[in-house]
Amino acid sequence: MEDDAQPVAKAPRKVTEGPQAQAQILAAVDELFYRDGVRAVSVDAVVKRAGLNKMAVYRQFKSKEALLLHYLERSDDTFWAYFDAAVARHPGAPREQLVQFFADLAGRAVRPGFRGCPFVNVAAEIPDPAHPARQRVAQAKADLMARLEAIAAEAGAADPQALADGLALLIEGPTPPARPMRRATG
């Protein structure tokens, strides 16, 4: 007796293409790396959270390190968007710009899920200063210090570098600065 049953056609597999797949992956990375830490998050966890397969991730990013560097770039963009929005609220008034930034930062810090500065978190997890992620952290810190020092100078600070160092400490917490802080004298 022959089987008259026809093979059941499988539904076509949904393929997520480049830009959409990349957006899903980066959204997953942003959430997971920030919430759980870089070392604790596997590529498999990113795959699962993004709702894609491993091949889709590796088509977009060659490694977990590449994902980490994209995460840091996006974190940097987010930070500067916050910073620039605070500054824009008080054009030409550097003291008020700084006060506004810290008021906004305080508001973000009390939100559920706040885990501090992504750069400080990555620096704490990756001790090797030669690692590309640590180099990106150092660049972000240098950029922050330059911007804080410029605003401190505009505000008329007697020692813009010292004020920038103090403000960075408030922003990041007690982490080592990218450049040595000057020792207090007297």
Side-chain angles (χ1 to χ4, degrees), residues 1 4 6 10 36 38-39 45 60 63 75 81 84 104 107 109-111 151 153 164 171 173 184 186:
M1 177 185 261
D4 290 335
Q6 298 292 322
K10 292 183 179 179
D36 300 334
V38 175
R39 297 240 186 247
Q60 298 295 319
S63 65
S75 295
D84 291 341
D104 294 349
V110 297
R111 290 184 188 153
I151 293 175
I171 293 169

Side-chain angles (χ1 to χ4, degrees), residues 78-88 98 101 144 147-148 151:
T78 299
F79 173 82
W80 287 113
Y82 284 136
F83 195 96
D84 291 341
V87 167
L98 290 171
F101 173 75
L144 173 64
R147 187 83 179 266
L148 290 173
I151 293 175

Side-chain angles (χ1 to χ4, degrees), residues 36-92:
D36 300 334
V38 175
R39 297 240 186 247
V41 175
S42 66
V43 172
D44 288 333
V46 172
V47 165
K48 182 176 180 180
R49 180 69 184 103
L52 300 169
N53 61 39
K54 204 177 258 191
M55 180 68 80
V57 172
Y58 285 115
R59 256 190 242 120
Q60 298 295 319
F61 303 96
K62 63 183 179 182
S63 65
K64 183 177 174 182
E65 184 175 289
L67 287 169
L68 174 56
L69 293 174
H70 275 82
Y71 166 71
L72 291 172
E73 286 301 319
R74 289 166 57 96
S75 295
D76 198 45
D77 291 345
T78 299
F79 173 82
W80 287 113
Y82 284 136
F83 195 96
D84 291 341
V87 167
R89 291 180 66 185
H90 302 283

